[in-house]
Amino acid sequence: MNLANTSGQTADEKAKSFSEMVRTYQERLYWHIRKMVLVHDDANDVLQNTFMKAWKGLDNFRGDSQISTWLYRIATNETLSFLSQKKARMMNSFEDVEELMLQNLQADTYFEGDEVQLKLQKAIITLPEKQRLVFNMRFYDEMPYEEMSKILDTSVGALKASYHHAARKVEDFLIKE
Amino acid sequence: MEENEYIEIQKAGNRNPFKLPENYFEEFAARMDEMAADTPKEVKRFIIRPWMYGAAASLAGVLLMGQVYLSDNKKQKLASENYDTYVLSQVNESSIIDYYLASETEK
């Protein structure tokens, strides 16, 4: 897969590189998105938008960062913008977005967590979005802080602090519930 | 998780509680291949070629010469207008009237 310099590639070569990129990274990105949006259908939409953006921006990828970092950044931006659009649509509704997301999660046929895992999801969804991102990337994906730092463009120290704040809140929620 | 202080979190564990439709990733990758085939990328990069430098220099030269020519013409016109005004200002009004009447009488 040669994505560092696609400007000299033919259309077929570009499509082939893109196809390889999708097959290599789709699973990691899907789970990154899914843990934020919770429901499969939403994760599918955001993942699709992520790769469409990547396809459109392929010529602008200069190889300064790793492909995975570049794709994670796109996926993270797409996820956050999806969530903020969802919130904006809910502005006139009496329902709480997080509450609605949990209801959808419980109704989602693609959620197979037990009661404890559902409770953990309820705790995680109370976190601010960026803290939730950091918590998921560290807790579920066990991603090194250095890699998170490149994706989220935040210092390792700030990420560590953010993770511990988040974990403390989740722990408190689980104790109280 | 590196911290032991989060006992409840550890009890819950970090097992992925989500699942997927069967063959999801195979089908997703195939959809993305179709998308890429339907929207082929066109490389539209502006590259400066050596001949473009010559063309740009020629164009600049033509514009410069045009500017010089126009400003020269304008200067000449202004100078002639200024001379006429100067001559008239040196002659008093009654001399001009006398000159005008005399030329009318001769006719």
Side-chain angles (χ1 to χ4, degrees):
Chain A
M1 180 168 37
N2 179 18
L3 291 168
N5 185 13
T6 55
S7 57
Q9 289 183 348
T10 64
D12 282 350
E13 284 168 341
K14 277 182 194 179
K16 197 176 167 221
S17 296
F18 177 72
S19 180
E20 280 179 53
M21 182 179 83
V22 171
R23 280 163 178 80
T24 309
Y25 295 104
Q26 60 177 350
E27 200 163 341
R28 270 182 270 175
L29 295 176
Y30 173 85
W31 292 120
H32 176 65
I33 296 164
R34 175 79 184 268
K35 284 172 203 127
M36 287 300 287
V37 300
L38 304 182
V39 176
H40 167 72
D41 287 344
D42 291 344
N44 177 50
D45 289 347
V46 177
L47 185 66
Q48 198 167 294
N49 291 345
T50 299
F51 279 114
M52 280 168 80
K53 282 261 166 79
W55 173 241
K56 282 180 190 162
L58 205 58
D59 289 338
N60 299 327
F61 178 69
R62 293 172 187 280
D64 297 339
S65 61
Q66 284 186 346
I67 300 166
S68 64
T69 307
W70 180 62
L71 288 172
Y72 263 103
R73 276 187 191 161
I74 301 174
T76 303
N77 289 339
E78 284 299 310
T79 305
L80 293 177
S81 103
F82 172 86
L83 291 172
S84 70
Q85 278 168 19
K86 198 165 190 166
K87 277 189 179 166
R89 282 200 299 272
M90 297 283 297
M91 282 291 275
N92 299 325
S93 163
F94 291 108
E95 280 181 293
D96 185 47
V97 178
E98 284 78 19
E99 189 54 43
L100 186 75
M101 282 174 76
L102 278 172
Q103 281 173 18
N104 290 343
L105 176 66
Q106 282 171 282
D108 189 4
T109 47
Y110 300 115
F111 180 73
E112 59 177 5
D114 56 20
E115 210 175 302
V116 180
Q117 280 159 339
L118 183 63
K119 202 169 136 183
L120 181 59
Q121 287 305 316
K122 281 183 183 173
I124 295 170
I125 211 163
T126 62
L127 300 172
E129 271 156 18
K130 286 200 179 146
Q131 243 178 45
R132 200 147 67 86
L133 260 177
V134 173
F135 185 83
N136 285 338
M137 288 164 97
R138 186 69 194 157
F139 178 68
Y140 284 111
D141 306 339
E142 297 177 356
M143 190 182 276
Y145 282 114
E146 288 71 21
E147 198 179 333
M148 285 164 69
S149 169
K150 286 178 198 157
I151 295 164
L152 301 174
D153 202 18
T154 308
S155 72
V156 168
L159 288 171
K160 282 183 180 172
S162 180
Y163 175 75
H164 288 292
H165 276 300
R168 186 76 264 154
K169 283 186 206 166
V170 171
E171 180 75 9
D172 289 348
F173 183 98
L174 294 175
I175 292 167
K176 278 182 206 156
E177 284 285 307
Chain B
M1 218 176 57
E2 67 271 39
E3 294 296 320
N4 294 323
E5 57 185 297
Y6 308 122
I7 294 157
E8 292 301 312
I9 295 176
Q10 280 180 329
K11 269 194 220 164
N14 66 350
R15 186 179 75 82
N16 183 358
F18 304 103
K19 63 175 185 174
L20 285 166
E22 217 171 308
N23 303 324
Y24 171 69
F25 289 120
E26 288 86 341
E27 285 167 18
F28 181 84
R31 272 208 321 270
M32 287 298 101
D33 287 347
E34 274 174 37
M35 184 277 292
D38 289 346
T39 51
K41 293 193 77 60
E42 286 176 37
V43 184
K44 283 181 183 171
R45 279 173 187 267
F46 185 74
I47 300 162
I48 300 172
R49 312 236 175 240
W51 62 264
M52 288 179 180
Y53 290 108
S58 306
L59 183 65
V62 167
L63 289 173
L64 193 68
M65 279 168 66
Q67 175 69 20
V68 168
Y69 174 76
L70 283 174
S71 74
D72 200 36
N73 251 3
K74 205 173 169 186
K75 267 183 204 163
Q76 278 178 10
K77 200 177 168 191
L78 259 176
S80 122
E81 274 173 8
N82 286 347
Y83 179 74
D84 291 345
T85 314
Y86 171 75
V87 170
L88 283 173
S89 70
Q90 299 305 305
V91 183
N92 66 32
E93 208 170 304
S94 58
S95 307
I96 294 173
I97 293 166
D98 290 343
Y99 172 77
Y100 177 70
L101 289 173
S103 64
E104 282 293 308
T105 318
E106 275 172 24
K107 282 180 191 172

